[in-house]
Amino acid sequence: MKYYAYYPGCSMEATGAPVEKAIHAIAKPLDIELMELEDWTCCGSSPFSGVDKVKAMAITARVLAQAEKTGLDLVTPCSSCYTILREANELMKEDHKLAWQVHEALVSVGLSYNGTVNIRHIVEVIYNDVGLEALAAKVKRPLTGLKVACYHGCQQVRPDYGFDDSELPNWLDNMAKSLGAEPVNFPLKARCCGSSLVISETGMAIDLIHKLLQNAQDNGAQCIVSTTCPLCHTALDAYQSQVNSQFKTKYNLPVLAISQFIAIALGLDEKAAALDYNVVSAKKLLAPYFSGKASLAKAESAT
Amino acid sequence: MINGKTTFLNEVASIPACDKINECVQCGVCSGSCTTAEHWEYPPRKIIAMVRSGMKDEVLNSNSIWYCVSCYLCTARCPRNIKPANIMHALEAIALKEGYKPPTKTTTMYRSFANSIEKNGRIYEFGFMLDYFLKTNPFAALKMLPLAVNLLKHKRMPLLPKSVKGKDQLNKIFHNITTGGSR
Ligand code: SF4
Ligand code: SF4
Ligand code: SF4
Ligand code: SF4
């Protein structure tokens, strides 16, 4: 069992429910223990950087200061939080004035931050700490034959973190493969969904989401497997009906977060995989796998 | 840093992560990469050039920078490590602080977002959206209704904020950082 400090981020408490519930369901089977930070507050995020950068960094620093007390790696599933937490960590090392300003504010409430926290995306933790082999070994319900488009989104891989490719990443593809599925070619897998402006520039964001859905479907995907970012997942899943009304399309493409996808492959039930929370239902598509018919058909064709 | 005067360029360069703006070689990679460039009157490269020529009003009265969706393609590709995305957000912050009124609703959205954090300690999604639509165009909210209903139906949109103990501490941090001398 490996222990991590866990920072879900605000969206996980609402729109991110399907992603989050599945994360908690798969943690134990994957031998990881996510210890949620006590009394955490928002990470600050990019909209706040557009209001006041120093304040935004101070908000982020409170999270980092709390995490530092645990002595554990800080894991987050939200790509937006991940980017902001990492940025704050780096900036406070480079920019001494900023570090001092933030330090003074933290000290005034009895906190301090020494820059020692290692910030990690949960996808990277599953990829590196659990590993593809261990993941494959735990599969009880292989998703054989399922054609999936793996959506990494932008902030899981950018700015450049120096591990998965920042423009054509393939970690989710490799994970989906070790669960038995068939990742399709998906050139827009790390292009932006526009989620940060979906409230104020709705039309523009819907246009970006439309392009992603189109690209996935044109390449033969039966569903999208998305990163654990609740914002990416909601954009593709919950806003799909808005795409359909704006573009007169008929997309009905289930979007499963990788946490849900893993839960299904590990043999957990629909409840653990939080399938009821998806706006575009994946139940029909997955029925053959839950009834065992899909693997049977595959076994027959193999003999 | 012409004669050490507080120029627009100095103002921008003093914001965290924006100090390299003067090393931009105007190659245009950021503009060519930008996810939303088609909407920008002045794309990122041009904005940077305008900041360096002191065209403050033109930059801050334009809606261009407000189309930045933080996709970081510019930042990942910039050959000089300029961090254009950060510069765009820094310009947004200056525009808000100095009372510019660019023709965009994103200014209001950002304020609603920041208010939600200050009030609740976390983003309370339903409250934040409601606040934004009431301040801009309540009728536009009608378009969002099917989405809200879908999210409600699937238990993804709690109608009440969660009370977070850490919010008082967060507000003290806010307060102390503003009074502790901002840049
Ligand atoms: S990225 Fe967004 S949702 Fe995540 S903690 Fe930050 S503000 Fe909240
Ligand atoms: S893909 Fe969309 S939601 Fe995901 S990180 Fe990028 S902008 Fe945010
Ligand atoms: S990519 Fe970098 S160097 Fe090139 S114009 Fe943009 S900011 Fe300047
Ligand atoms: S981060 Fe902003 S400026 Fe940079 S490419 Fe993306 S949208 Fe354009």
Side-chain angles (χ1 to χ4, degrees):
Chain A
M1 188 70 80
K2 277 197 176 143
Y3 294 87
Y4 302 89
Y6 182 64
Y7 179 73
C10 329
S11 295
M12 279 302 188
E13 299 194 311
T15 49
V19 190
E20 172 83 342
K21 290 191 189 298
I23 286 175
H24 290 296
I26 63 171
K28 202 167 205 170
L30 296 184
D31 292 320
I32 58 182
E33 175 94 26
L34 302 169
M35 326 231 309
E36 186 163 328
L37 285 184
E38 230 175 273
D39 219 11
W40 55 269
T41 41
C42 177
C43 75
S45 178
S46 47
F48 215 109
S49 299
V51 177
D52 188 322
K53 187 68 179 176
V54 179
K55 263 193 177 186
M57 293 291 100
I59 300 176
T60 318
R62 179 176 184 270
V63 176
L64 293 172
Q66 280 179 308
E68 196 168 54
K69 284 195 249 171
T70 68
L72 299 166
D73 282 2
L74 178 63
V75 175
T76 180
C78 172
S79 301
S80 192
C81 301
Y82 178 62
T83 295
I84 279 300
L85 290 165
R86 283 191 67 132
E87 178 183 67
N89 218 15
E90 277 163 34
L91 276 182
M92 284 191 283
K93 282 187 190 123
E94 288 166 13
D95 185 330
H96 298 291
K97 181 169 178 193
L98 173 72
W100 179 80
Q101 280 176 300
V102 170
H103 176 76
E104 292 283 294
L106 286 180
V107 166
S108 71
V109 295
L111 289 173
S112 71
Y113 181 58
N114 300 307
T116 64
V117 176
N118 189 22
I119 298 144
R120 306 181 62 189
H121 196 292
I122 198 164
V123 169
E124 185 262 318
V125 167
I126 297 174
Y127 200 86
N128 286 326
D129 292 10
V130 177
L132 293 184
E133 272 176 39
L135 196 60
K138 289 176 200 284
V139 171
K140 298 214 176 77
R141 186 186 286 134
L143 293 152
T144 317
L146 194 61
K147 293 200 168 62
V148 298
C150 295
Y151 184 60
H152 296 67
C154 26
Q155 301 191 3
Q156 180 184 314
V157 290
R158 280 192 304 274
D160 200 339
Y161 302 114
F163 35 81
D164 204 358
D165 193 90
S166 67
E167 304 218 16
L168 275 180
N170 58 26
W171 280 8
L172 289 176
D173 296 73
N174 295 344
M175 282 172 156
K177 249 187 253 169
S178 50
L179 304 174
E182 272 177 47
V184 300
N185 182 33
F186 185 26
L188 299 191
K189 55 164 62 163
R191 296 311 290 253
C192 186
C193 70
S195 157
S196 67
L197 294 184
V198 75
I199 304 296
S200 57
E201 295 290 349
T202 312
M204 182 178 88
I206 295 295
D207 182 34
L208 294 174
I209 299 169
H210 174 228
K211 290 192 176 111
L212 299 173
L213 295 171
Q214 190 176 36
N215 194 234
Q217 186 144 308
D218 287 354
N219 281 293
Q222 294 167 284
C223 68
I224 294 177
V225 169
S226 79
T227 174
T228 49
C229 176
L231 308 166
C232 303
H233 180 268
T234 296
L236 293 169
D237 174 45
Y239 281 91
Q240 216 172 109
S241 55
Q242 222 123 328
V243 169
N244 286 337
S245 50
Q246 187 168 320
F247 288 92
K248 311 268 172 290
T249 48
K250 291 202 173 100
Y251 290 107
N252 184 29
L253 210 51
V255 184
L256 294 160
I258 187 71
S259 51
Q260 296 185 288
F261 207 60
I262 293 175
I264 298 159
L266 292 182
L268 304 181
D269 61 14
E270 285 188 359
K271 188 162 176 252
L275 293 185
D276 280 341
Y277 293 82
N278 289 50
V279 171
V280 180
S281 175
K283 287 187 179 172
K284 206 168 145 202
L285 178 69
L286 296 171
Y289 298 94
F290 277 98
S291 66
K293 281 194 187 118
S295 47
L296 240 92
K298 190 72 191 179
E300 269 163 27
S301 70
T303 51
Chain B
M1 318 261 153
I2 313 151
N3 304 328
K5 260 195 307 192
T6 324
T7 60
F8 184 33
L9 176 61
N10 273 335
E11 192 177 1
V12 175
S14 73
I15 291 176
C18 303
D19 54 320
K20 289 211 177 122
I21 184 166
N22 240 354
E23 290 168 36
C24 164
V25 290
Q26 291 289 300
C27 66
V29 164
C30 50
S31 297
S33 310
C34 184
T35 301
T36 58
E38 64 190 90
H39 299 275
W40 300 45
E41 185 182 1
Y42 313 117
R45 179 201 62 79
K46 200 156 189 189
I47 290 284
I48 292 174
M50 290 165 78
V51 170
R52 297 205 301 203
S53 0
M55 297 166 72
K56 184 168 182 174
D57 289 347
E58 289 86 341
V59 169
L60 300 182
N61 281 323
S62 145
N63 58 4
S64 296
I65 52 179
W66 297 93
Y67 287 114
C68 175
V69 283
S70 303
C71 73
Y72 293 100
L73 265 178
C74 54
T75 306
R77 290 180 182 171
C78 171
R80 302 303 301 260
N81 200 14
I82 306 296
K83 304 188 180 168
N86 287 81
I87 293 175
M88 301 312 140
H89 293 312
L91 291 167
E92 290 168 345
I94 298 177
L96 282 184
K97 208 174 280 171
E98 301 187 7
Y100 283 85
K101 301 229 157 31
T104 170
K105 285 185 282 187
T106 301
T107 42
T108 312
M109 192 270 281
Y110 278 12
R111 282 218 179 88
S112 300
F113 187 92
N115 287 345
S116 184
I117 301 179
E118 297 198 31
K119 211 160 91 195
N120 305 302
R122 292 181 193 167
I123 287 294
Y124 153 50
E125 289 176 319
F126 180 71
F128 147 61
M129 289 188 207
L130 200 67
D131 183 60
Y132 166 78
F133 283 115
L134 289 176
K135 283 183 182 146
T136 51
N137 176 5
F139 294 105
L142 288 177
K143 259 190 161 169
M144 289 293 202
L145 211 57
L147 172 86
V149 169
N150 266 336
L151 287 170
L152 266 173
K153 227 167 47 190
H154 294 272
K155 292 177 255 164
R156 283 163 70 174
M157 181 111 327
L159 297 180
L160 289 171
K162 211 173 174 168
S163 133
V164 192
K165 270 192 279 152
K167 100 178 175 210
D168 297 335
Q169 197 179 50
L170 190 70
N171 276 317
K172 266 189 210 135
I173 295 177
F174 270 144
H175 180 76
N176 294 350
I177 202 137
T178 12
T179 51
S182 73
R183 1 184 114 221

